Amino acid sequence: MLELEIDGKPVQVDDGSTVMDAAKKLGIYIPHFCYHKKLSIAANCRMCLVQVEKAPKPLPACATPATNGMKVYTHSPAAVKAQKGVMEFLLINHPLDCPICDQGGECQLQDLAVGYGQSASRYDEEKRVVHEKDLGPLVQTFMTRCINCTRCVRFLDEIGGYQEMGQAFRGERAEIMPFLGRTIDSELSGNIIDLCPVGALTSKPFLYRARTWELTRRRSVSPHDGFGSNLIVQSRHDVVKRVLPLDTEAINECWLSDRDRFAYPGLEAADRLTTPLVKRDGQWVEVDWATALEVAVNRLKSVIDEEGARQVAFLAHPMATVEELHLLKRLGEALGVGLVDARPDRLDARADAARGAVAWLGMEYADVAALDRLFVIGSALRQDLPLLAHRVRQAAKRGLEVAALDFVADDWRLPVAPRLVAKPSEFVARLAAVVRAAAEAKGVAVPSAAGEAAAPNEAERAIARQLLSGERRAIWLGALALAHPDAAAIESLATELAQISGATLGWLPAGANAVGAQLVGAIGAETALASLAQPRSAYLLLHLEPEDFADEMAAQAAFERARTVVALTSYAGEALRARADVLLPVAPFTETSGTFVNLAGMAQSFTAVVRPKGETRPAWKVLRALGAMLELQGFAQQSSEEVTAEALPSGWQTRLARTGVSGFSAATWPSGEGVERIPLVHPYARDPIVRRSPPLQQTAEARRLRMARLHPDTARALNVAEGDRIGVGMGCVAEAALDAGVPPGAVLLACDETFARAGHPWAVLTVERA
Amino acid sequence: MLSQDSLAKIDREIAKYPEGQKRSAVMAALRIAQEEKGWLAPETIEFVAGYLEIPPVAAYEVASFYNMYDLEPVGKHKITVCTNLPCALSGGVHAAEYLKEKLGIDFGETTPDGLFTLKEGECMGACGDAPVMLVNNHHMCSWMTKEKIDQLIEQLRAK
């Protein structure tokens, strides 16, 4: 511990702290621009100059180590003189365009200029002008405003994992820029907007839409992935204008993924449903809620009466809230319907059923930092959970060794070694070989699940050795592994591996409320996706569009054949308009209260941030009304909190799984000529809101994953070159891209509209030049 | 992209640093690349960055910081004139003006015959010899009076 004095107040700080840390501990504010608590120290803005006793000149508080007996003055005449001098230099080239600057009102430079700037500049020479840079569809530049603090450069390098921007040239000509002609493609790129202390980097979708002081701020929780990032949703006149991170150290820290930040334009999509619609003689008719509910109830009742409740399925998106899923489940149970499920991306329901307990990360996010060894099985970690990938990246810098068995070796922007890549048909066998290698390395009996595994190769042995060598270990099953047709076999093997190695098993199911869905029992004997093979006569859909299924065409076909489809949805999308009979406008997350349980097992409740649009109603109230109209018990809750309390009775945390399942073996893979499909869930097509967000759809990542990605060897064998138009499966044509990360004999076709016609997500396809 | 010869030279530079510290060789690698290609095109910088396993912008930061790297094609003879304060006070600016007039080009420009490029330089550490000039990054010229400038240009033309 060090003892020092700042502005006459004594303070104790840990060894290695800086003067800035000590001042923060005392609650003393030292003006700064380049310093940021989560980034490395640059000390290049010089705004935090302070006076230190016995030091001959002012010192930067952010970079000066605290020492015993140090006496620091942050607001003495000498310190203020130095700070004012720095401010004068910073303002020499900074334009006076605050009235038209988006940062105006929330600008650190503007705020500090009030305290340290002068009313007029002594500089009357020509000001410097810096050309704009095209950073892509999300970040707008006004580079003349840049004060070269390099926060954005350091963020992309240290947090994003790859230095996409740099400071080029020198002195007065120094410029912040990406490499010539490049855009910023990090999935965390929006954070540089928050970090920029001036208006040099601003939000492109928010540009000139509103002033910060006009906006209403409310807290919310992200519905786009299971990480559960906390949001500040800003709105004006009940329209969401901007989404910012809510600093929550245990979850998203001060960051937000681009998906969470820029999905909000989707809330205002042209096809937002604002009145109940009923299809009469093939025509959509606007009706009032009472009529719509009556029609919905009658349609469902007639199917139940004539064909039995088993012929009805209630399917939901895993972004539905705990309250909605709880009432959906209760409604389904009371009616005795055949299936209530919220897994539109998965095929194999055996593991969830056998486990009983709820699949989750197996640890809190903070525990990731303490891991020594991590083995990730079948995950698109960066696309699925950008901020979990960030946590792994930071842990890797401190010594975490990450290994992976992947369907695709995508760049996670962190060291992953050893890394195995296997196509779907060989995935289980490779994992079995790792299990066998681990058993052999530890000298225990090879578990029967891996009994038939081939002798492990060097990479498989290396993974086993690595996993056995650390203190704190974890094995994670990614969403793609859980979506695999043999998911139960994969989980069995992972469970064996966890037992052999003493690792904690974790699951990364897709969907913001995938954990909550399991907790309220919104998972059936078969998955929503698998159930499409035997179409039901009636469907009730919650926040779910055909596009949300890993097999969109199968969903369309099933709904087409059904006698009735009632959709509780925020959007009247084309596919739903074509297949459904009743469309009930229900609130997206911004217009309802609800709860999501994230992957770390934290239940986070939120309230509506804006008024429901038009006739939109919260889905939990609609489900309650349906229950009441069907004269069922248990639909008399007065508030969403009452529903939450029913859905998550105290002690629910004990239901989080501690171990996986065992005893499931893989089915034989259909042998056939062709190329195996890898159905990565497209990061910007996974829920109805992000699909409708134009800025996200324009990103490089969105475009990259709309190409059919093939290994160069596969492409050569098929006589396909980069950029060729190729036909995959039945009637789907796409551009080919060569990607050495895809295993030979496979093709990466994301689950997205582009590849909807490719057929079954795990199909063996014919690929040929179109 | 680069010749085997240049790559061998870069490898020698990389070997001077501990393993995993390839990026330390970025200045030398850019120099070697420029010697072979004449200037540093974006593709060349990107190639060097890839060879050293660093992001392209990290190599571009270095290439744009030091003015001995040429980000544009240059003539056969690149003359860099120091105009920093000590040189400027001892005739550096006048020497530069004279050169501009004589060659008919401004800083950063190349004569139409492709022979000469004029560049404004930073301190060359020889303020006592002002005005100073550097020819093609390697040949240092001191006390550059008008007569000596005439001589220099004649010599270079004759080469």
Side-chain angles (χ1 to χ4, degrees), chain A residues 411 538 569:
Chain A
D411 181 5
T569 173

Side-chain angles (χ1 to χ4, degrees), chain A residues 672-729:
Chain A
E673 285 292 299
V675 183
E676 292 176 26
R677 176 177 179 187
I678 301 165
L680 183 90
V681 179
H682 192 288
Y684 300 139
R686 57 181 62 211
D687 67 55
I689 304 174
V690 299
R691 274 198 299 275
R692 290 172 170 83
S693 166
L696 289 179
Q697 300 311 323
Q698 291 155 11
T699 55
E701 179 69 355
R703 282 180 277 125
R704 184 179 80 93
L705 291 173
R706 293 204 163 108
M707 295 183 223
R709 308 188 74 78
L710 295 156
H711 191 276
D713 292 348
T714 320
R716 205 171 305 125
L718 294 162
N719 198 20
V720 168
E722 175 94 28
D724 278 357
R725 305 285 296 169
I726 55 171
V728 278

Side-chain angles (χ1 to χ4, degrees), chain A residues 64-362:
Chain A
T64 304
T67 55
N68 257 327
M70 196 179 220
K71 283 201 167 94
V72 181
Y73 303 95
T74 64
H75 290 84
S76 66
V80 171
K81 188 181 172 204
Q83 290 157 3
K84 283 190 167 177
V86 169
M87 177 57 82
E88 184 169 11
F89 272 115
L90 287 173
L91 292 179
I92 278 183
N93 277 312
H94 193 81
L96 271 174
D97 62 351
C98 305
I100 56 145
C101 175
D102 257 11
Q103 193 86 352
E106 52 182 6
C107 174
Q108 273 174 286
L109 189 66
Q110 201 179 31
D111 293 348
L112 290 179
V114 173
Y116 300 90
Q118 291 171 358
S119 49
S121 176
R122 289 189 283 166
Y123 180 84
D124 53 13
E125 286 83 359
E126 208 167 306
K127 286 196 177 199
R128 169 184 108 126
V129 173
V130 184
H131 290 290
E132 303 313 345
K133 314 287 183 284
D134 178 12
L135 301 188
L138 306 179
V139 184
Q140 175 71 45
T141 69
F142 292 92
M143 292 316 287
T144 302
R145 296 177 187 150
C146 176
I147 58 167
N148 291 64
C149 70
T150 69
R151 274 184 179 182
C152 53
V153 175
R154 283 175 285 147
F155 172 83
L156 289 166
D157 184 17
E158 294 160 17
I159 310 293
Y162 184 76
Q163 192 194 340
E164 290 183 274
M165 291 234 263
Q167 186 176 41
F169 305 104
R170 64 151 92 175
E172 199 198 18
R173 297 195 187 102
E175 280 183 37
I176 301 293
M177 57 163 68
F179 189 62
L180 309 168
R182 298 277 176 91
T183 53
I184 303 299
D185 300 332
S186 165
E187 71 283 10
L188 303 173
S189 70
N191 292 297
I192 65 177
I193 299 166
D194 295 346
L195 286 172
C196 185
V198 297
L201 304 174
T202 56
S203 163
K204 218 173 234 181
F206 180 63
L207 191 66
Y208 304 140
R209 296 295 198 283
R211 305 300 295 190
T212 168
W213 55 84
E214 303 169 328
L215 299 170
T216 311
R217 294 155 162 72
R218 294 233 202 293
R219 157 177 197 265
S220 192
V221 178
S222 165
H224 307 297
D225 63 42
F227 197 72
S229 291
N230 283 218
L231 314 174
I232 300 173
V233 180
Q234 304 191 332
S235 62
R236 190 180 64 168
H237 305 325
D238 286 315
V239 174
V240 175
K241 292 287 181 187
R242 181 163 71 165
V243 172
L244 296 175
L246 178 67
D247 200 332
T248 310
E249 195 56 28
I251 305 173
N252 54 311
E253 304 164 71
C254 52
W255 313 127
L256 212 52
S257 67
D258 287 352
R259 186 167 55 215
D260 293 345
R261 185 186 299 266
F262 293 113
Y264 72 87
L267 296 166
E268 295 297 317
D271 61 354
R272 249 319 275 278
L273 181 67
T274 51
T275 45
L277 296 179
V278 171
K279 204 184 251 172
R280 285 187 185 137
D281 305 325
Q283 293 295 315
W284 284 105
V285 184
E286 286 188 11
V287 294
D288 57 26
W289 266 102
T291 314
L293 288 172
E294 208 181 296
V295 173
V297 165
N298 289 341
R299 296 264 171 102
L300 290 173
K301 257 188 180 162
S302 77
V303 173
I304 292 172
D305 291 346
E306 289 163 31
E307 302 183 39
R310 308 299 301 169
Q311 274 307 309
V312 180
F314 288 3
L315 307 182
H317 194 290
M319 82 188 297
T321 64
V322 164
E323 293 77 4
E324 292 162 2
L325 291 169
H326 170 69
L327 291 178
L328 186 76
K329 169 75 177 172
R330 177 169 287 180
L331 193 64
E333 265 181 350
L335 292 170
V337 307
L339 180 67
V340 180
D341 194 82
R343 291 168 298 179
D345 61 326
R346 288 160 66 177
L347 283 167
D348 189 351
R350 292 178 294 166
D352 278 345
R355 195 187 319 106
V358 169
W360 65 306
L361 185 64

